[in-house]
Structures are given as structure tokens and as C-alpha cells.
């Protein structure tokens, strides 16, 4: 993996390395994902349209790296059944999708989370969608081209939109809202880590997740980042403070 200082379990900049060995460690992966894809006539907010494999907008409590290890580059059988619609294969930011193979990612800044939440609550009111807690944590929406344009025009928020291809590693900072749409059937491997730069976000999200309704899939503290930070500080203190020599016997 790239940047082994962060991504390896014993990397010097991966705070997870300091988790005590006599405790049950958090499950940081690696995890394998098998995704199905579809290119034609995909609209994220239209329930009448058959969708390919996708992950709705959400954020993760830790940093992560996602590697696409294999992707099917032939013609998808499901697509051949649809009527040819060049408009549905055109992306305003990526161009034509007809020859693209892989997965489309949209990643937004942590600082833009509040603006995105304002948009999602407005859309929920307009479309009579019930929101019980946080629409990002509940993974209720996929931002299609219409909603992304509205996010840019009304809230001045623009994310990073790109195609992940075979062999590409995508880094997702902790707390950054992101979504994925598979253009092709693919296999991905993901690994979580905790960087010093984003540890404060991990703590913030841990506290935020704890306030979610009981039984929510995020309400459990699976990362145990506060325990991780406690032992990180213990390690740093021992490394920086000089050890006292035992008093010499007279």
C-alpha cells in the first residue's frame, strides 16, 4: 500500500499501532468489497430507475484507503437490456461514461458537512422523506447530477469527482462525506487507519455517533479512539521523558 507510515498497522504515523496488545483491538481491516455496476440511465434520487451497485453519501469515523484490485472491462449484461441513451452516459464533469470502467467517487471536505446537511434536509422536506437523525450517518441519499449542481450553485460546495480504475488507491480522510457509484463490476479492498492529523475528527465523530438512536449501526464505539489516544500519549511521554536512574547503593 502507498504511504506505509500511515496505512501499515505498525506504521509510525498510524496511531492504531499504540493500541494495547492485551485488549481486543478495533477491526481496521483489510475488508473486501464485491460491487456490481451499471452505466445506463442511472439517477440517484429516482426510485423507478434500476440502479447499479452504489454506496450512498456517508462518512467514516477513521481514515481509510480503498484499492481497486480488479474490474470487469467487458459489456455489462444489464446495460445491454436498456435502451441506448447517450444522455444518460454523459457526465458533466467526467465526459462520456460509455468507455469508462471502474467506480465514480465523490469526496467532499470535512468543513462542508454542515452545508451538505442543509441541502439534504431541504431535499427531504421537498420529497417528503422522513429523517430521524442525521441523513449522512443514515446514508439516505446519493447526490446525483441535479443535487450536485444544486450543492454547487446554492451552497458553493464542490467536491472531488473522479473515476477509480484498476490499481488505483483512494484515500478518504476521516469525517469527509463521500459516495461511490460502480460503473463496472469490481473487487475492492479497504483498510482503515488513524492519522495524527485527523485524530480530533475521530474523537468528534465518536461523540456524535454516541448520540444516535439506540440500535443505530454507528452508535457503538467500534474504533475505541480515546483508548488509542491514551496509549499513544503514554508512549510519547515515555519516549520524551528521561528515565530516572536507580539510586546507587552506598
Amino acid at each position: 500500500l502507498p504511504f506505509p507510515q500511515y496505512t501499515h498497522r505498525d506504521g509510525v504515523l498510524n496511531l492504531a499501532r499504540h493500541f494495547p496488545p492485551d485488549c481486543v483491538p478495533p477491526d481496521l481491516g483489510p475488508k473486501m468489497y464485491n460491487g456490481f455496476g451499471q452505466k445506463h440511465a442511472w439517477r440517484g434520487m429516482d426510485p423507478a430507475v434500476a440502479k447499479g451497485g452504489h454506496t450512498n453519501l456517508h462518512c467514516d469515523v477513521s481514515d481509510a484507503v480503498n484499492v481497486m484490485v480488479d474490474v470487469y472491462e467487458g459489456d455489462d449484461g444489464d446495460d445491454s437490456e436498456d435502451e441506448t441513451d447517450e444522455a444518460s452516459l454523459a457526465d458533466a464533469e467526467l465526459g462520456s461514461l460509455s468507455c469508462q470502467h471502474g467506480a465514480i467517487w465523490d469526496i467532499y471536505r470535512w468543513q462542508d458537512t454542515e452545508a451538505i446537511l442543509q441541502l439534504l434536509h431541504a431535499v427531504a422536506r421537498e420529497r417528503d422523506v422522513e429523517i430521524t437523525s442525521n441523513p449522512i450517518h443514515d446514508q439516505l441519499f446519493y447526490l446525483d447530477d441535479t443535487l450536485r449542481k444544486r450543492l454547487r450553485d446554492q451552497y458553493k460546495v464542490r467536491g472531488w469527482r473522479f473515476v477509480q480504475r484498476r490499481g488505483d488507491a483512494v484515500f478518504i480522510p476521516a469525517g469527509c462525506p463521500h459516495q461511490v457509484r460502480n460503473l463496472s463490476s469490481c473487487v475492492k479492498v479497504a483498510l482503515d487507519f488513524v492519522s495524527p492529523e485527523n485524530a480530533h475528527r475521530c474523537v468528534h465523530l465518536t461523540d456524535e455517533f454516541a448520540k444516535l438512536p439506540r440500535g443505530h449501526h454507528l452508535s457503538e464505539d467500534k474504533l475505541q479512539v480515546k483508548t488509542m489516544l491514551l496509549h499513544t500519549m503514554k508512549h510519547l511521554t515515555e519516549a520524551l521523558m528521561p528515565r530516572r536512574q536507580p539510586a546507587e547503593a552506598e
Side-chain angles (χ1 to χ4, degrees), residues 57 59 108-122 125 133-137 143 151 154-157 175-177 204-205 208:
L57 190 73
C59 66
Y108 296 90
R109 299 189 312 158
W110 156 272
Q111 294 86 343
D112 293 327
T113 302
E114 190 59 36
I116 295 173
L117 284 173
Q118 293 178 20
L119 169 66
L120 297 183
H121 280 285
R125 289 192 296 270
S133 53
N134 184 305
I136 294 180
H137 300 335
L143 300 183
L151 185 62
Q154 296 185 12
Y155 299 89
K156 310 304 179 185
V157 172
C176 288
H204 176 86
L205 286 171
E208 193 171 299

Side-chain angles (χ1 to χ4, degrees), residues 14-15 26 36 38 55 108 126 129 171 201 219:
N14 186 0
L15 301 188
F36 296 92
Q38 181 175 326
T55 302
Y108 296 90
E126 296 165 3
V129 176
F171 281 83
R201 298 183 185 176
S219 61

Side-chain angles (χ1 to χ4, degrees), residues 1-11 13-14 64-65 171 191-193:
L1 289 173
F3 300 106
Q5 301 93 332
Y6 290 97
T7 55
H8 285 193
R9 183 56 188 265
D10 59 349
L13 294 177
N14 186 0
V65 57
F171 281 83
L191 183 71
D192 299 334
F193 61 95

Side-chain angles (χ1 to χ4, degrees), residues 87-143:
S88 69
L89 293 176
D91 186 278
E93 299 172 70
L94 302 175
S96 175
L97 302 177
S98 59
C99 297
Q100 300 271 22
H101 298 284
I104 298 178
W105 285 73
D106 293 284
I107 303 179
Y108 296 90
R109 299 189 312 158
W110 156 272
Q111 294 86 343
D112 293 327
T113 302
E114 190 59 36
I116 295 173
L117 284 173
Q118 293 178 20
L119 169 66
L120 297 183
H121 280 285
V123 171
R125 289 192 296 270
E126 296 165 3
R127 306 190 181 187
D128 196 24
V129 176
E130 182 180 2
I131 293 180
T132 58
S133 53
N134 184 305
I136 294 180
H137 300 335
D138 291 345
Q139 300 188 32
L140 294 180
F141 297 98
Y142 181 94
L143 300 183

Side-chain angles (χ1 to χ4, degrees), residues 197-237:
E197 295 86 348
N198 294 328
H200 66 289
R201 298 183 185 176
C202 300
V203 174
H204 176 86
L205 286 171
T206 296
D207 293 339
E208 193 171 299
F209 290 171
K211 300 176 183 177
L212 293 172
R214 181 176 298 180
H216 195 284
H217 70 285
L218 294 177
S219 61
E220 182 182 351
D221 183 12
K222 298 178 181 179
L223 185 62
Q224 305 177 66
V225 65
K226 296 180 181 180
T227 301
M228 196 180 298
L229 290 176
L230 174 64
H231 287 274
T232 298
M233 294 305 299
K234 178 175 180 292
H235 169 80
L236 293 176
T237 301

